[in-house]
């Protein structure tokens, strides 16, 4: 259990202008008033379930991994009861400090996190930090639920239910995937100990395409290939 003098780490969101998360937007860091009690992460996979007529089942052929979703709630409070969770001062209000209204807090969140970048023609990329958590993505959806109201009807407490979706720059994604799919053209440098049929089998998971590969590269022979030659392996015909 944390002591009252021990500082708790706050969840925060930092905005970036670029997909590589290098161009940080100065001043666009939003700290959560209270750390979430829970958050959820979902992973989705897409398969081709095409089934031939007259069959009793289908071979689920993998298609792609969809971007992951990250969901949690932000609390906005204008009562003055909720103060700084970084010192665990929940419920200890400063009577001399006037808290920002819920509307002001939400507008600050929108300005820092979801405002449209006119020069980029898109909202910001976002990093979410909290302890060991580091999530890179964009805000897909935000639903605001107003919970408590003053006598004049102004909201004094609200919860923003946020859904973020993972975003990976093309360069980083290509490095992670290692681009070994048979559905794209591959370039390989032929070594002195290499064999075209074995190289073909590694890429296509079949060595029966080596003749087509030799023809595609205009090779006179698939057995006599000069070391250092560039060999191209085209996509398989669908």
């Amino acid at each position: 259990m944390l002591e009252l003098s021990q500082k708790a780490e706050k969840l925060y969101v930092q905005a970036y202008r670029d997909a590589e998360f290098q161009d940080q937007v100065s001043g666009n860091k939003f700290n959560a008033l209270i750390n979430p009690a829970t958050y959820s992460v979902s992973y989705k996979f897409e398969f081709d379930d095409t089934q031939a007529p007259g069959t009793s089942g289908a071979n689920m052929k993998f298609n792609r991994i969809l971007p992951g979703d990250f969901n949690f709630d932000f609390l906005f409070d204008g009562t003055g009861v909720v103060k700084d969770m970084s010192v665990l001062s929940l419920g200890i209000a400063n009577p001399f400090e006037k808290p920002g209204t819920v509307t002001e807090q939400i507008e600050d969140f929108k300005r820092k996190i979801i405002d449209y970048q006119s020069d980029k023609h898109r909202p910001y990329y976002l990093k979410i930090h909290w302890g060991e958590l580091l999530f890179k993505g964009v805000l897909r959806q935000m639903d605001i639920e107003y919970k408590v109201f003053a006598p004049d009807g102004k909201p004094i407490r609200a919860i923003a239910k946020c859904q973020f979706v993972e975003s990976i720059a093309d360069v980083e994604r290509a490095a992670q995937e290692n681009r070994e799919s048979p559905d794209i053209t591959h370039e390989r440098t032929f070594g002195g100990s290499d064999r075209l049929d074995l190289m073909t089998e590694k890429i296509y998971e079949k060595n029966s395409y080596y003749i087509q590969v030799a023809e595609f590269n205009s090779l006179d022979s698939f057995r006599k290939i000069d070391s250092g030659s560039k060999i191209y392996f085209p996509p398989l015909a669908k």
Side-chain angles (χ1 to χ4, degrees), residues 210-223:
Y210 67 92
I211 294 177
Q212 290 93 326
V213 172
E215 292 176 348
F216 183 83
N217 288 272
S218 301
L219 299 175
D220 295 332
S221 170
F222 59 83
R223 291 189 178 90

Side-chain angles (χ1 to χ4, degrees), residues 140-222:
R140 169 181 280 171
Q141 182 174 333
M142 180 174 73
D143 299 314
I144 302 175
E145 182 180 357
Y146 295 93
K147 307 283 288 185
V148 183
F149 301 87
D152 60 1
K154 292 180 181 178
I156 54 177
R157 181 166 292 179
I159 294 177
K161 300 180 182 295
C162 297
Q163 181 185 77
F164 299 87
V165 62
E166 184 180 24
S167 178
I168 301 176
D170 290 339
V171 172
E172 183 181 353
R173 174 179 51 79
Q176 290 179 1
E177 295 172 355
N178 199 23
R179 306 310 291 165
E180 290 299 326
S181 169
D183 298 324
I184 63 172
T185 297
H186 297 268
E187 177 188 307
R188 297 289 186 271
T189 301
F190 194 85
S193 60
D194 284 331
R195 287 174 44 182
L196 186 62
D197 59 338
L198 296 181
M199 296 172 73
T200 302
E201 182 177 14
K202 183 177 180 181
I203 291 175
Y204 299 116
E205 298 183 352
K206 286 185 178 181
N207 63 7
S208 58
Y209 294 110
Y210 67 92
I211 294 177
Q212 290 93 326
V213 172
E215 292 176 348
F216 183 83
N217 288 272
S218 301
L219 299 175
D220 295 332
S221 170
F222 59 83

Side-chain angles (χ1 to χ4, degrees), residues 95-111:
F96 302 104
E97 181 181 353
K98 183 180 179 180
T101 67
V102 164
T103 300
E104 290 171 343
Q105 294 174 40
I106 291 176
E107 288 303 312
D108 182 53
F109 178 88
K110 291 167 61 179
R111 179 181 62 80

